[in-house]
Amino acid sequence: GFPHERLANPEGVRTQNSEVSQRGLGGFPHERLANPEGVRTQNSGVLQPTLKTSQSKPIVLKEPGSGLLLQAVYPLPNAKSPDVAALDLMDRILTDGRNSRLEQALVESGLASDVSASVVNLMELGWYELLVTADPEQNVKKIDSVLKSAIAKLTKKGVTAEELNRAKMKLEASVVLTNRDITSLGLQLGNDETTTGDYRYTDRYLAAVRQVTVQDVQRVANKYLKQEARTVGFFKPTRLKTKGNDHKATSKHNTENFAHGASVTTEEVTKYLPPVDLASVATSHTLPEQFTLSNGLRVLLVPDKSTPTVTLSGYIKAGKEFDTEEKAGLASLVAENLINGTKTKDVLTVAKTLEDRGANLEFETYREGVRIEGDSLAADLSVLIQTLADVVRNANFPIKELELSRKQALTALKHELDDPSEVAQRTFVQSVYPKQHPLHVFPTEESLRRVSRKDVIEFRKKHYRPDTTVLALVGDFAPEKIQKLINLEFGNWKAKGSPPTLKYPTVSMPEKVINLNPVVPGKAQAITYMGNTGINRKDSRFYAALVLNQILGGDTLSSRLGAQVRDRQGLTYGIYSSFVTGNDSGTFMIEMQTSPEDTRQAIASTRELLKEIHQKGVTEREVETAKQILISNYIVSLANPEELIGKILMNQVYGLDKEELHNFTAKIQAVKFEQVNQAARELLYPDKIVVVTAGPDVSTQGSISQ
């Protein structure tokens, strides 16, 4: 997938503000919370005007779409209520993890593909919000009936001590894990002060959590989860219209006026940038200790006793690049099913082992590899390592869980094909890279259905190997103990022969501009991706490309694209550029969100700006400002354990020495003005690009200048 890290990561040059999820190419996202669900306390949600009334009948919305949705909302008290702690624990018992009640009743049963919830407690009011996503073929009334039955069971029979203790452990661990970096901690303190008038609120909140009893959970459930108090809405997707149908009935031109104020200049941005002290960067982080097991597994360790936590990051070269067109989606199904049971533990036992300690372990598949993400309190690191070793080496892929994950993948595919951003990405990548190229292959309904359990087992056996695996850990541990533990759990992991390899063919740029407009019915906003092939991570122009990209579309405030196309002309809601780089390939791309009426002009203006930079280059002042922004952002990012260990991991994956962690800022600082302009001449080709706009039909809105 495309990376989400916005600095100068090895996987892609991104911005700090991009909100578009990217899954088409190689690379790994590093912006990840310690708990994907977050600390679901008073911090979640958006202020709503009132929650004084409820609807006796469901609110039903019918529009073109791909998924069935049910949303239920219950009024709650404000953040100062003594019931907040019990409500948060109630929510976790209902929805957090494989062993949670609604996960079991709705997702594991196959009725829904996802269930999520949040307890929101703000200054003056609060609400409990439940969201269920399902395949459109499911019966929403049946889903609602199961939901109400599960809540009724909780209100009548209460919860068990085991459920409550697990919820307490997960909640406390998530608070600690989420607030390890200074940015998250600052947000927590600011939110506490704003909503409760006490920046120390979280300390009192955690103390209250520890005092909650099973009777408290049942009491608040009875008090707030009343049938007559809730407001519920159903989204029922209608049949998608074909391209020939009139889509304009549901399309509204949403306008924002950006053009009246003066754009921020490079000089203005420079005023707010902190001075860069390169000397401090080199000494502020200890370089990782590194060792390799006899079977080829590489390990990097960074002891850090600042918090009683550990962050694990890993990489296995078993990504989507090994998918065939016939069975595209196989690599992802393998990774998603690793934690669904082993030779000695079923899926719920594996989940319970982690959940009882508030630990997290996830696998996500990208083009060039599978990324492992995990974290835990320091005392539970051995459990995290042991579970990782067990699922990677001994996953047995039970048929029931495999079929459930296939069903969820098919539902997710329907959502993706109804999402203009996903459609634009898929079409863009498949237009830049020809058939038979590892980046061209994307899952289809047919390919997902062709994957058998035998395929899954053989793929894991072939591609999950110690000699293509890297593990990196940062946190509160003794390196010598962890080395012994890893050797014990992974040392006798064996693989036969040499690792599978792929040859990425050379791809030429298009001879001219290629315009494509896949229509997604019922959508009001257009998403455009434009670009061509780029450089890989080992290209000597990488650091100059980082600086160039920061100037071109690195962020909204200081980039040329942001200033010209968004601010001055008011043509886009957001516009960013990227050089997405991997070991074997690279792609240059620009992404933007526009109204249909403005799309063609926004594309034309973007190409004109590319032409200007390609021919005339950038200024020395822009280069110096961009370098300062990149260096400052990099320094700040190292305070986040996930980003720190992610950089260490990927430096190893890309064959860079461990000194890259310190040397990166010096390499950026060393980029010369002439090198940036040379990169602009060699990497930006406004007349040899693929332009894909997904969403409404924009073919009648004018033409792109060729």
Side-chain angles (χ1 to χ4, degrees), residues 399-642:
I399 294 176
K400 177 186 174 183
E401 300 302 330
L402 181 59
E403 290 307 312
L404 181 60
S405 65
R406 187 203 310 273
K407 183 178 180 180
Q408 292 169 347
L410 289 167
T411 300
L413 178 61
K414 290 180 181 179
H415 283 284
E416 289 176 11
L417 297 181
D418 187 47
D419 181 344
S421 178
E422 296 286 351
V423 172
Q425 288 175 30
R426 177 183 286 230
T427 307
F428 171 78
V429 173
Q430 291 187 322
S431 301
V432 172
Y433 297 97
K435 283 191 174 184
Q436 311 309 320
H437 192 285
L439 293 181
H440 184 89
V441 178
F442 280 80
T444 64
E445 181 178 347
E446 294 76 18
S447 70
L448 287 169
R449 293 192 186 280
R450 289 191 194 105
V451 175
S452 68
R453 181 170 181 266
K454 180 181 178 182
D455 294 327
V456 170
I457 292 172
E458 289 181 351
F459 187 95
R460 190 207 66 81
K461 184 177 180 180
K462 181 178 181 181
H463 296 287
Y464 282 71
R465 309 166 51 99
D467 50 359
T468 62
T469 299
V470 183
L471 298 179
L473 294 97
V474 60
D476 186 4
F477 53 75
E480 60 277 7
K481 291 184 179 180
I482 298 305
Q483 185 169 348
K484 290 180 181 178
L485 176 63
I486 291 176
N487 197 47
L488 177 66
E489 298 297 331
F490 291 95
N492 61 352
W493 184 17
K494 305 297 181 184
K496 295 181 180 179
S498 301
T501 58
L502 278 175
K503 183 175 178 58
Y504 275 62
T506 301
V507 178
S508 302
M509 289 188 181
E511 294 298 320
K512 60 181 181 178
V513 178
I514 298 174
N515 293 308
L516 299 167
N517 180 206
V519 173
V520 184
K523 306 303 178 184
Q525 181 172 274
I527 306 295
T528 297
Y529 280 78
M530 54 194 300
N532 42 38
T533 56
I535 60 174
N536 63 32
R537 178 59 182 89
K538 297 176 182 177
D539 195 289
S540 60
R541 297 166 292 183
F542 176 75
Y543 301 97
L546 291 176
V547 178
L548 172 63
N549 184 74
Q550 180 63 35
I551 296 168
L552 173 63
D555 59 55
T556 300
L557 283 178
S558 60
S559 73
R560 291 268 195 105
L561 286 172
Q564 181 67 23
V565 184
R566 183 183 187 273
D567 292 352
R568 293 189 186 125
Q569 299 181 18
L571 295 173
T572 76
Y573 306 126
I575 184 166
Y576 310 94
S577 63
S578 313
F579 283 94
V580 183
T581 62
N583 250 330
D584 299 303
S585 65
T587 305
F588 167 69
M589 53 176 290
I590 295 171
E591 58 191 89
M592 68 175 84
Q593 304 87 44
T594 60
S595 66
E597 293 84 352
D598 293 331
T599 300
R600 311 298 277 187
Q601 183 57 47
I603 292 170
S605 295
T606 299
R607 286 187 51 218
E608 191 63 32
L609 194 147
L610 283 176
K611 183 177 180 180
E612 179 183 334
I613 295 181
H614 172 74
Q615 293 179 347
K616 299 180 181 179
V618 298
T619 68
E620 290 192 54
R621 185 63 176 269
E622 285 178 313
V623 169
E624 291 307 311
T625 300
K627 287 159 61 172
Q628 196 170 351
I629 291 172
L630 290 169
I631 292 171
S632 297
N633 286 345
Y634 181 83
I635 294 171
V636 171
S637 74
L638 296 183
N640 185 312
E642 282 85 5

Side-chain angles (χ1 to χ4, degrees), residues 277-417:
D277 182 4
L278 293 178
S280 67
V281 179
T283 58
S284 58
H285 287 88
T286 304
L287 290 175
E289 301 181 28
Q290 185 173 338
F291 64 92
T292 303
L293 302 186
S294 58
N295 57 16
L297 187 146
R298 291 165 285 167
V299 183
L300 301 107
L301 303 176
V302 182
D304 178 5
K305 297 186 179 297
S306 60
T307 64
T309 64
V310 175
T311 300
L312 165 70
S313 193
Y315 170 97
I316 302 174
K317 192 168 178 55
K320 298 176 186 178
E321 63 183 3
F322 293 112
D323 278 351
T324 63
E325 186 174 4
E326 182 184 21
K327 296 182 179 179
L330 171 58
S332 295
L333 282 174
V334 173
E336 290 163 6
N337 279 272
L338 290 174
I339 59 174
N340 284 344
T342 67
K343 295 176 181 178
T344 58
K345 296 178 181 178
D346 63 21
V347 58
L348 294 183
T349 303
V350 173
K352 186 175 181 295
T353 300
L354 296 169
E355 290 173 5
D356 283 351
R357 294 163 174 81
N360 303 288
L361 181 62
E362 299 174 351
F363 299 85
E364 189 161 1
T365 314
Y366 298 91
R367 286 290 172 183
E368 293 187 354
V370 172
R371 185 70 178 265
I372 305 165
E373 298 283 8
D375 49 42
S376 71
L377 299 179
D380 301 314
L381 176 57
S382 60
V383 174
L384 188 63
I385 296 293
Q386 289 162 0
T387 303
L388 173 63
D390 190 23
V391 300
V392 168
R393 301 181 58 186
N394 302 314
N396 64 347
F397 306 105
I399 294 176
K400 177 186 174 183
E401 300 302 330
L402 181 59
E403 290 307 312
L404 181 60
S405 65
R406 187 203 310 273
K407 183 178 180 180
Q408 292 169 347
L410 289 167
T411 300
L413 178 61
K414 290 180 181 179
H415 283 284
E416 289 176 11
L417 297 181

Side-chain angles (χ1 to χ4, degrees), residues 637-702:
S637 74
L638 296 183
N640 185 312
E642 282 85 5
E643 295 207 39
L644 171 63
I645 205 63
K647 287 177 173 60
I648 290 171
L649 175 78
M650 295 313 298
N651 286 343
Q652 175 69 206
V653 169
Y654 288 126
L656 306 171
D657 60 50
K658 62 182 182 180
E659 296 287 343
E660 176 71 12
L661 184 70
H662 290 171
N663 293 343
F664 172 82
T665 52
K667 290 178 179 179
I668 291 293
Q669 187 64 40
V671 171
K672 294 180 172 57
F673 166 67
E674 295 79 11
Q675 292 174 309
V676 177
N677 282 335
Q678 181 179 353
R681 292 190 296 272
E682 295 175 354
L683 301 178
L684 303 182
Y685 290 91
D687 297 324
K688 296 181 178 181
I689 57 174
V690 173
V691 181
V692 177
T693 299
D697 183 354
V698 298
S699 61
T700 60
Q701 304 292 334

